[in-house]
């Protein structure tokens, strides 16, 4: 019989556990779908309220920074008060943020809605991810980790696609998009009430909200090797998410309005299967392949800018999606797998601090450059910096592989074949945000 960790209710392994598993997966998908839904609507906001590109990047970055703060403060809260209370509270805040979006009358309201959305998403993501781990079926090992890895990028792709279609087909898309999401979150909250709690309450809830970062030496070394690639892919993702619609319009001013949303959809739609297909690849090889893809992605972006060719733009976005999926998968696995279980939560928090700062701060910088020198100059500077970072990543990741190939393993003959001394198992599923909710268990 499978043992159950202290403080946990037995996992739902019977067929009746499929519904809770599907529900928590759908919550993750819906949360990230809502996060990308505003992207196709940014041109509407700019035209309606005369917002600058800097304003749009501030709106975007408010979400990323609020989500980061929520992850650091509420990541382990559900271990103490239960998964359902945290998820129900987060869904209520998410509904409030959607209502604020739907009734927004200017920049301040948009920023407030994004902040609420970031808080709700950060809290709910960690709790839903942890609930998926609680529901792991011994007959299907690794399914929760895979769901946690793929659901976020799947949600972003679905959200930007649905919002793009509504911009094209629905009346008053700045209201319709958020009304549909309110209905989804309300239905999920109702379904959540009827599910069983997967953890028992325990003291220390208030203490668990203190932000903690930890980066052991092994993780610091792994992050140093992968850091340039991580910053490159997250910065590129932030650029496409915030300034992608305006950049698309700059390249193809006569193209359809919905094309701007489809650029970010292309990135996320490619990233999702990339995470799946690279999950058994060696972590350093996955990160290296992804970093290699980012260089031509940045160059294609520049080529699209100077040749005014949308085909190059979408090809670059697809390559950027592959790079994002492969680097995120490999780098995250390399960093978290290098530390023992008790230190994974703090290590993962440190990784996401870097990731979300890389997503938001360069986007704000690009917005400021756009305000001062125009979007063309900002895109040139941003793509150039991303290409340089990716080149550095390729160099730093290639060096250990070359030295490993040149230097015969002196202890390979003396170590037993069953030695546990291995950097990363190719069969290890990608770590995920939900570790933040379980590291104090």
């Amino acid at each position: 019989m499978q043992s159950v960790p202290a403080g946990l209710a037995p996992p739902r392994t019977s067929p009746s556990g499929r519904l809770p598993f599907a529900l928590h997966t759908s919550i993750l998908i819906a949360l990230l779908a809502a996060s990308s839904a505003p992207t196709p609507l940014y041109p509407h906001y700019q035209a309606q309220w005369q917002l600058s590109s800097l304003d749009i990047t501030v709106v975007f970055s408010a979400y990323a920074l609020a989500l980061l703060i929520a992850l650091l403060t509420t990541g382990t809260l559900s271990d103490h008060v239960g998964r359902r209370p945290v998820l129900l509270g987060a869904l209520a805040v998410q509904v409030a943020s959607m209502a604020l979006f739907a009734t927004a009358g200017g920049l301040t309201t948009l920023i407030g809605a994004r902040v609420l959305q970031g808080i709700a998403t950060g809290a709910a993501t960690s709790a839903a991810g942890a609930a998926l781990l609680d529901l792991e079926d011994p007959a299907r090992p690794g399914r929760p980790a895979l769901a946690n890895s793929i659901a976020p990028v799947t949600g972003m792709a679905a959200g930007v696609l649905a919002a793009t279609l509504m911009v094209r087909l629905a009346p008053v898309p700045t209201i319709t998009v958020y009304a549909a999401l309110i209905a989804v979150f309300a239905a999920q909250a109702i379904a959540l009430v009827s599910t069983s709690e997967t953890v028992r309450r325990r003291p220390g809830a208030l203490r668990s909200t203190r932000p903690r970062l930890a980066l052991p030496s092994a993780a610091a070394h792994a992050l140093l090797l992968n850091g340039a690639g991580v910053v490159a892919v997250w910065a590129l993702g932030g650029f496409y998410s915030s300034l992608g619609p305006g950049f698309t319009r700059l390249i193809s001013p006569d193209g359809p309005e919905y094309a701007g949303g489809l650029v970010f959809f292309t990135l996320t739609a490619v990233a999702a299967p990339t995470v799946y297909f690279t999950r058994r690849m060696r972590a350093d090889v996955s990160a290296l392949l992804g970093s290699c893809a980012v260089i031509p992605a940045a160059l294609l972006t520049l080529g699209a800018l100077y040749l005014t060719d949308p085909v190059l733009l979408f090809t670059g976005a697809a390559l950027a999606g592959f790079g994002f999926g492969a680097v995120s998968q490999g780098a995250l696995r390399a960093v978290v797998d290098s530390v023992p279980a008790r230190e994974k939560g703090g290590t993962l928090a440190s990784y996401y601090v870097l990731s979300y700062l890389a997503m938001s701060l360069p986007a704000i910088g690009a917005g400021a450059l756009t305000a001062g020198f125009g979007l063309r100059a900002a895109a040139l500077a941003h793509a150039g910096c991303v290409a340089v970072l990716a080149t550095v990543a390729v160099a730093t990741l290639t060096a250990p592989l070359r030295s490993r190939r040149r230097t015969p393993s002196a202890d390979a003959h003396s170590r037993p074949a069953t030695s546990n001394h291995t950097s990363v198992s190719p069969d290890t599923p990608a770590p995920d945000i939900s570790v933040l909710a379980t590291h104090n268990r």
Side-chain angles (χ1 to χ4, degrees), residues 2-4 37 42 70 117 157 188 192 210 229 327 364 402 424 426:
Q2 186 187 29
S3 62
V4 180
Y42 286 148
Q117 186 182 42
Q188 289 175 333
L192 192 62
R210 290 183 301 182
V327 170
I364 294 176
R402 288 177 176 173
V424 179

Side-chain angles (χ1 to χ4, degrees), residues 80-376:
H80 300 272
V81 302
R83 312 297 187 213
R84 279 197 308 171
V86 173
L87 285 172
L88 288 172
L91 289 175
V93 175
Q94 187 75 296
V95 167
S97 73
M98 296 296 101
L100 203 55
F101 270 119
T103 58
L107 177 62
T108 303
T109 315
L110 280 182
I111 293 175
R114 270 305 219 179
V115 169
L116 283 180
Q117 186 182 42
I119 292 171
T121 303
T125 297
S126 56
L132 288 175
L133 293 178
D134 299 338
L135 294 166
E136 181 162 14
D137 185 347
R140 304 180 68 178
R143 186 175 62 153
L146 185 59
N148 273 301
S149 299
I150 293 181
V153 283
T154 302
M156 285 190 287
V160 73
L161 179 60
T164 299
L165 292 175
M166 289 188 185
V167 167
R168 178 78 174 88
L169 303 173
V172 198
T174 52
I175 296 177
T176 309
V177 168
Y178 303 115
L181 286 167
I182 287 175
V184 170
F185 291 126
Q188 289 175 333
I190 293 171
L192 192 62
V193 171
S194 64
T195 62
S196 301
E197 180 57 72
T198 58
V199 295
R200 298 187 182 95
R201 293 193 177 194
R202 57 189 176 93
L206 184 61
R207 187 171 62 252
S208 73
T209 60
R210 290 183 301 182
R212 289 181 300 276
L213 290 176
L215 199 60
S217 57
H221 176 70
L223 192 58
L224 183 63
L225 285 177
N226 292 275
V230 170
V231 173
V233 297
W234 283 80
L236 199 54
F239 179 83
Y240 275 112
S241 180
S242 58
L243 295 177
F247 187 63
T248 305
R249 194 166 58 252
L250 178 66
I251 292 173
S252 182
D254 299 326
E257 186 178 3
Y258 56 83
L262 291 179
V263 172
F264 186 60
F265 167 75
T266 301
L267 187 152
T268 52
V270 173
T274 300
V275 169
Y276 179 82
F277 287 115
T278 60
R279 73 192 189 284
R280 298 190 185 279
M281 189 178 291
R282 244 176 52 182
D284 53 352
V285 174
S286 177
L288 178 59
L289 286 178
S291 298
C292 288
V294 170
I295 299 173
L299 295 178
L300 283 170
T301 299
L302 294 178
L305 179 64
Y306 284 100
L307 298 176
T308 62
D309 187 348
V311 174
L312 293 180
L313 174 63
F314 279 90
T315 305
L319 274 175
F322 175 83
F324 188 94
V327 170
S328 298
Q329 158 86 283
L332 186 56
R333 198 149 35 102
V335 171
V336 178
D337 282 2
S338 63
V339 297
R342 67 181 180 276
E343 296 177 328
K344 288 184 185 294
T347 300
L348 188 58
S350 300
Y351 174 88
Y352 276 108
V353 166
L354 175 64
S355 300
Y356 282 105
L357 289 177
M359 173 182 275
S360 56
L361 295 184
I364 294 176
L369 278 175
T370 300
F373 302 97
L375 184 53
R376 183 179 296 270

